[in-house]
Amino acid sequence: MTTSAQDLVERALALSKSDGCIVIAGESTSANLRWATNTLTTNGVMRSRSITVIATVGTGTGVASGAVSRTTVATDELESLVRAAEETARGNGAADDAQPLVPGGAAADWDLPPTETSIDVFSSVAPALGDAFGAARGADRLLYGFVEHEVDTYYLGTSTGLRLRHAQPQGHIGITGKVGSDLSRSAWVGQATRDFSDVSIASLDAELAQRLAWSARRIDLEPGRYDTVLPPTAVADLMIYAYWNMSARSAHEGRTVFSRPGGGTRVGERLTPHPVTLRSDPGAAGLSSAPFVLAQASSGTSSVFDNGLPLEPTDWIRDGSLAALLQTRRSAEITGLPVTPVIGNLVMEVGGASGGLDDLVAGVDRGLLLTCLWYIREVDPQTLLLTGLTRDGVYLVEGGEVVGAVNNFRFNESPVDLLSRFAGASVTSPAFSREWGDYFHRTAMPALRVPDFNMSSVSPAS
């Protein structure tokens, strides 16, 4: 009989000889379907297990930590794993982020088994894909794509008696359509979901067909600044990157766009004249995430010592002003700001916004409509200037209507700067980032109209 994740946690804690110990056991199941040229090609279900042991030991000058992670650990391998973590801790110097381990007891759901997924999660998706394949064949379109659903269940136990459990369902679908003798005309649609009950294959396919129809006319444009509509997907591509760079400590040390000249952070400073709110909430409907810190390693924005710390709804930007930055307990001591740890979702809202993507497009006299962004890289951390490429559909808008597809571009823009320059916003809706969605599923964003989006050069990418 397989040892339960809870038993692995308890046994590892019992084996510990360090001053403090944290154990995180993860159980994961995932199901997927793949298709190409209008035909399902593969499907499968996978199962995995991981365990991380974090040992803390006094050094005389502070407290050191050591973390070791392994997969498929058998019961008789636990002791070597625990000893390896302790040896790692003894070999490290005092940890700069050291704090007392979070106290607590056992949560009511601690004894529950892992939540699992199966191929049945696609019971409505698979036949709908069959219908989409038939329609695509009739229209000389080729569909390629991937759909995945995963449920990760984490069990966190510490030497202070804390016992917490969190089950995280997440899934996504991405469909690429291609037409033309050389398949050079392509478009993409995608969506994140918790359980696929909110996914309409027919709606996604209709949007894909519309975008491919737009591409029947090709117009070549020169680089420049264009009146540009970014759909929620593209806004998510940019805002997730900004969120990941909201380290309070880095800002306090003068290394980011959120640093105040002369020292400290820009918390409290107005970033945009628009009533923008950027927030995270572990209990957000449809986007819920872990309600406590789960950190298998320390970084600039998280600390293993904070494992189990409760998470609360947090406004990062409130009504246009910077309200908080990503904090550990240690960085909060340094910066003098509240403890506001990383949360696993992100929502952007603009006060007074109305309408949708089509309404923003209708207001453009001559400009561009994007699909998504990719290959995003940082150019300048002081301004958070990013560069990247457009992908799978850039469309020319004239007189409020899409009139054709244009070439791809390289862009140079700062998401923080865009917050003060956009001229219109839609209501917020769930968004799946094409660039970062594999790592960060849970976002909701508005579409934005930026009157001078910088397309710095033409890209040969297709």
Side-chain angles (χ1 to χ4, degrees), residues 363-448:
V364 175
D365 181 49
R366 189 174 192 274
L368 302 175
L369 169 64
L370 302 188
T371 298
C372 55
L373 308 172
W374 72 303
Y375 207 66
I376 297 172
R377 299 294 183 267
E378 188 173 303
V379 176
D380 179 10
Q382 295 293 332
T383 60
L384 201 61
L385 179 65
L386 306 179
T387 189
L389 305 175
T390 61
R391 184 177 188 182
D392 284 330
V394 182
Y395 305 100
L396 179 63
V397 179
E398 291 182 336
E401 295 184 356
V402 176
V403 297
V406 306
N407 44 274
N408 279 303
F409 293 97
R410 173 170 292 280
F411 71 89
N412 285 293
E413 283 288 0
S414 164
V416 176
D417 191 47
L418 288 181
L419 292 179
S420 63
R421 288 171 32 224
F422 71 84
S426 73
V427 297
T428 293
S429 62
F432 178 61
S433 167
R434 180 75 182 278
E435 178 78 327
W436 312 117
D438 286 345
Y439 320 104
F440 200 93
H441 285 69
R442 295 170 289 279
T443 60
M445 298 283 148
L448 295 179

Side-chain angles (χ1 to χ4, degrees), residues 33-112:
L33 302 174
R34 294 179 184 270
W35 57 94
T37 61
N38 302 331
T39 304
L40 281 172
T41 55
T42 61
N43 66 80
V45 176
M46 294 175 286
R47 183 184 303 272
S48 63
R49 166 180 278 184
S50 65
I51 185 166
T52 298
V53 175
I54 303 161
T56 66
V57 297
T59 66
T61 59
V63 178
S65 67
V68 177
S69 298
R70 291 181 185 167
T71 58
T72 61
V73 176
T75 304
D76 59 2
E77 298 173 315
L78 274 178
E79 183 165 10
S80 65
L81 175 61
V82 174
R83 299 292 167 258
E86 293 169 346
E87 184 65 24
T88 300
R90 284 191 291 268
N92 291 335
D96 184 63
D97 60 330
Q99 294 283 301
L101 299 190
V102 176
D109 61 352
W110 171 256
D111 291 326
L112 293 180

